Amino acid sequence: MAVDFRFIIIGRGMMGAAAARHLSSMADGIALIGPREPEERKVHHGVFASHYDEARITRTFDGNLAWGTFAARALERYREIEARSGISFYSEVGCLFAGPTPKDEQDYINRALTVSRRLGSDIETIAPSQLRERFSYLAVDPDFTGYFERKRAGHINPRALVRAQARLAEHGGVSLIEATATSVRDVGSHVEVTTGDRRYSAERVLVAAGGFSNFHALLPRPVDTRVMARTVVFYEIGERERAVFGDMPSTIVLGDREEDHIYILPPVRYPDGKTYLKLGGDTEGLSFGRLEDAGVWFRSDGSAAERDHLCRIALQLMPALAGCPVTSAPCVANFTSTGYPYIGFTQSPRVAVLTGGNFVAAKSSDELGRLGALLLAEGALEDKDFGGELTPVFS
């Protein structure tokens, strides 16, 4: 039978929009289905996304070769996407890691240095005696060493990047359908996608719904992921603080464990006209298995206990923030059982999945979207794209 589209991508977030853009250069007959960001988050009762923000750290410095490669490939295309779309989203201010001297070759920093050499990244090692002098906004342990990636690093505006991807996808012939997909069904000869009062058909479908991939009937079987709560804290920055933090790079301060790392975004202007410095961590244990529970979380201000924890750390690391107004917001992180994103077919040869950011994928979203597009168009991923590592695991 004739289908409405050759390919449908479900999810208008960072990976889904990127997949639509890349696929538009490989094939015709493509639709991207997903709702816009809700105007009033606290009264919205549909699905959400985690890119509703103005800043995410971008870097190639990473202790894992696959993740470092994904980031490097995406970074190489940032300026082209900006130029073609007319939308700016990348600030190349650099990224600083600060932490204790590595104890062995398996420590994160030594692994990241090895990966950086393979990727050709330029990482400057800064001795403890120079770290506080060079980056005076940061009051870290006097024994900490710095690792500074000046080029191919900084921060991106995730909202703006999604707008740029969607604009280019539309220019490439992709049909943008502003709706929420509630079911995907392989009917043998094709796939049917239901969105409220409409039904669309396609030869193949890519489900790129992030942490909401399991919350509707989008997959034959749920993917094995944990959708975890994350709280972020915003310090409102005035003229005095701008003099201290205005030139800072994106910053990651390492703890004793990888989940104890703290990330800090430089001051960024937000839609309310105010400038905020943002920070967050990776220690919360709350997870969601139902759409209703995730919705309650996204309508909240995050965890008060985590906000207080992050504020204590913020004032230890950046005493100049004392007295600044503080707010918090919710986010989620979607962790896979493998530690890699899932990009592969489900039990249906016509339904594929692209999900699992593992709290580090915003910077790599364009490359992960490209891999999702390749999977739909060609049916498989090659070893050069880490295809084996990206095989989905199902519950």
Side-chain angles (χ1 to χ4, degrees):
M1 67 168 268
V3 294
D4 299 317
F5 300 100
R6 184 177 178 194
F7 301 117
I8 290 177
I9 298 167
I10 296 173
R12 199 170 170 173
M14 300 190 76
M15 295 186 199
R21 178 181 79 82
H22 283 285
L23 195 57
S24 70
S25 66
M26 305 175 189
D28 297 321
I30 303 162
L32 174 62
I33 300 178
R36 293 181 182 270
E37 178 177 353
E39 293 185 7
E40 297 292 339
R41 170 176 62 87
K42 292 195 173 185
V43 297
H44 178 63
H45 285 268
V47 299
F48 291 84
S50 292
H51 71 268
Y52 304 157
D53 193 16
E54 300 294 304
R56 289 285 191 278
I57 292 177
T58 189
R59 54 183 168 87
T60 70
F61 194 65
D62 198 290
N64 180 281
L65 177 61
W67 280 111
T69 301
F70 299 149
R73 290 176 179 176
L75 275 154
E76 290 171 358
R77 293 191 286 267
Y78 283 174
R79 295 304 188 199
E80 177 193 357
I81 297 170
E82 287 183 321
R84 290 178 54 210
S85 68
I87 298 174
S88 298
F89 59 84
Y90 175 38
S91 298
E92 192 177 28
V93 299
C95 183
L96 172 70
F97 276 71
T101 301
K103 297 181 179 64
D104 57 53
E105 289 302 313
Q106 291 308 306
D107 278 5
Y108 182 89
I109 288 296
N110 277 335
R111 287 188 282 119
L113 290 170
T114 298
V115 170
S116 294
R117 285 191 288 270
R118 289 193 61 172
L119 296 177
S121 300
D122 184 10
I123 310 299
E124 178 188 4
T125 300
I126 303 170
S129 60
Q130 299 176 323
L131 185 59
R132 283 201 177 190
E133 181 180 347
R134 291 260 313 263
F135 303 94
S136 57
Y137 66 90
L138 194 61
V140 294
D141 188 294
D143 294 330
F144 275 21
T145 300
Y147 306 88
F148 186 44
E149 185 173 17
R150 178 65 188 87
K151 298 293 185 181
R152 296 203 303 177
H155 56 90
I156 55 174
N157 182 323
R159 281 189 177 113
L161 176 54
V162 169
R163 287 197 302 271
Q165 300 280 29
R167 177 176 292 181
L168 292 177
E170 191 169 28
H171 289 171
V174 174
S175 297
L176 302 185
I177 300 173
E178 191 175 326
T180 299
T182 54
S183 75
V184 174
R185 193 163 65 98
D186 184 342
V187 296
S189 61
H190 63 281
V191 183
E192 292 184 349
V193 177
T194 302
T195 66
D197 59 350
R198 289 292 304 273
R199 183 173 294 168
Y200 302 94
S201 60
E203 295 177 12
R204 285 179 176 174
V205 170
L206 177 67
V207 176
F212 287 77
S213 297
N214 286 338
F215 291 163
H216 283 124
L218 304 180
L219 300 169
R221 285 171 52 191
V223 282
D224 185 6
T225 62
R226 291 177 299 125
V227 181
M228 307 293 293
R230 290 294 179 265
T231 299
V232 292
V233 167
F234 298 91
Y235 279 84
E236 184 181 334
I237 300 298
E239 290 298 328
R240 178 183 67 86
E241 293 80 28
R242 268 195 280 269
V244 177
F245 300 106
D247 295 328
M248 69 176 283
S250 296
T251 302
I252 297 174
V253 180
L254 306 183
D256 293 332
R257 305 171 300 167
E258 288 192 19
E259 57 264 38
D260 293 328
H261 300 350
I262 296 295
Y263 65 88
I264 310 166
L265 274 299
V268 170
R269 187 178 179 87
Y270 273 70
D272 64 1
K274 297 178 180 180
T275 298
Y276 297 96
L277 180 150
K278 185 183 79 171
L279 76 155
D282 196 19
T283 59
E284 290 178 273
L286 179 65
S287 63
F288 308 107
R290 300 190 313 148
L291 174 64
E292 295 80 6
D293 296 332
V296 170
W297 173 253
F298 269 103
R299 289 187 291 273
S300 76
D301 292 324
S303 162
E306 181 68 5
R307 178 199 63 208
D308 293 344
H309 167 69
L310 290 170
C311 286
R312 285 192 294 270
I313 294 174
L315 294 179
Q316 291 171 5
L317 293 174
M318 297 168 288
L321 290 175
C324 293
V326 181
T327 54
S328 60
C331 189
V332 300
N334 191 20
F335 293 96
T336 65
S337 61
T338 62
Y340 295 101
Y342 292 155
I343 310 178
F345 280 94
T346 65
Q347 293 71 33
S348 163
R350 284 170 283 277
V351 179
V353 64
L354 164 61
T355 192
N358 291 277
F359 209 37
V360 293
K363 64 184 181 297
S364 306
S365 59
D366 185 67
E367 174 62 11
L368 300 180
R370 185 187 73 87
L371 297 181
L374 275 178
L375 179 71
L376 273 195
E378 300 182 6
L381 297 178
E382 299 181 6
D383 290 343
K384 67 179 181 179
D385 293 322
F386 303 91
E389 287 90 338
L390 307 183
T391 302
V393 178
F394 297 91
S395 300

